[in-house]
Amino acid sequence: MEVINPATGERERTVEEHTESDVDDALERATAAYEEWRDRPIREREELLAAAGDVLRENKREYAETMTREMGKPISQAIAEVEKCAWVCDHYAEHGSAYLSADGHPSPPGSSVETVYDPLGPILAVMPWNFPFWQVFRFAAPHLTSGNVGLLKHASNVPGCAQAIEDVFRKAGYPEDVFQTLLISSDLVDDVIEDDRVKAATVTGSGPAGRAVASTAGDQLKKSVLELGGSDPFVVLDDADIEAAAETGAWARNQNGGQSCIAGKRFLVHTDVYDGFLEAFVDEVESLTVGDPTDGETDIGPQARADLMDELHAQVEASVAAGAELLTGGEPLDREGAFYPPTILADVPEGCPADSEETFGPVAAVYEIDDEDALVAKANDTEFGLGATIWTEDRERGRRLAREIDAGCVYVNQLVKSDPRVPFGGVGESGYGRELAREGMLEFVNRKTVWVE
């Protein structure tokens, strides 16, 4: 695996991939580790998870710098990501026992019936590069605590992050092989899922990657959870706080270089406030600093890979050619590295790439729409269904419209985010299943009914 620094285009290092024999050995060790780990009292598993949170906080600068080198995340955002990982560890260390407590059911006199939650075994997690620590920890924190063991197949451009995460659990005192990194190509994923020793799989990534994992897991009758792409609507109603919506919208679209499934991507603005919002939105976007990701003042670093930047730019060019108006940005920066500026497209024609495809970078598509029903219809005019945002001063109106939008989560007067306290996931082409909260923790357990007469 070649690690290319996207800010410089230079090769940082080469990492040897694991062989098929290495993978077989890892699966054997994972199976053995599971037999002991599943019987550990959950309080001990919670204590180890709390220790992992401490390790993350103690080494956050080191881990953040690894992210920045490998995928270009601005250092301040990378540090915040490590801190968020520590938070999810704290959350399940505190609430894991309650989330897994047995649920009682009505039963005849003299009997008791309850549902208990038992782990499944080794779980494969196929994870992306855009949040290389957070995506892994929101899988590992709940599912290791429930008694499963983890096998991580991380994106090939962030092997250092994968190795660092494995080291977090080692430093925290986890038993050997409860969490392992598999440095393998995507070509070997099917073989791992098909192995009888692997009991389930989860993937965060592209639609094709999700379909491939779901197909293989389904053929093997194994549980899978998919968190895939998004084209989240950012709806601004006629009674919205325009300045707040523009400020939050600029960040919702451009944090992490715009490389986020839950970024606000399609900005659907009521005619009555369109001009005011657009002016404020352009000002906010143009105020963001693009530059060296190791500089704490940088808001937007490089795109993670040069080829991804090229794909993004092709989407912008095709959208402009179809009639979209380019208001700012729209050209790769003339400097070393894969730098693309924050870009805004207005009057976006139906069916062009900015309208119908996921733009995985700092490109916002803005629409002027003249009534509430049409805003909701446009919000739902997508194959994706991950998240959505509604801006209105009338909270009851926001709550009502949230029920009309087809998405896994809708935030009113707030950007979409994944939070350990609430379930996270999508519908449609955005995948299925849930992560986080109790619902996420129960995805990879056997919900066993125990009837005692």
Side-chain angles (χ1 to χ4, degrees), residues 417-433:
K417 51 192 166 184
S418 57
D419 182 308
R421 298 166 294 188
V422 295
F424 178 80
V427 297
E429 293 295 311
S430 293
Y432 54 72

Side-chain angles (χ1 to χ4, degrees), residues 179 315 336 396 453:
F179 183 92
Q315 289 176 303
E336 292 296 322
E396 288 306 312
E453 193 72 24

Side-chain angles (χ1 to χ4, degrees), residues 171-209:
K171 287 178 177 175
Y174 276 71
E176 198 73 20
D177 304 321
V178 165
F179 183 92
Q180 297 180 70
T181 282
L182 304 179
L183 296 174
I184 59 174
S185 70
S186 298
D187 296 341
L188 293 182
V189 168
D190 281 353
D191 292 341
V192 176
I193 297 173
E194 290 171 351
D195 193 291
D196 290 341
R197 291 167 291 187
V198 172
K199 303 305 180 183
T202 182
V203 59
T204 298
S206 67

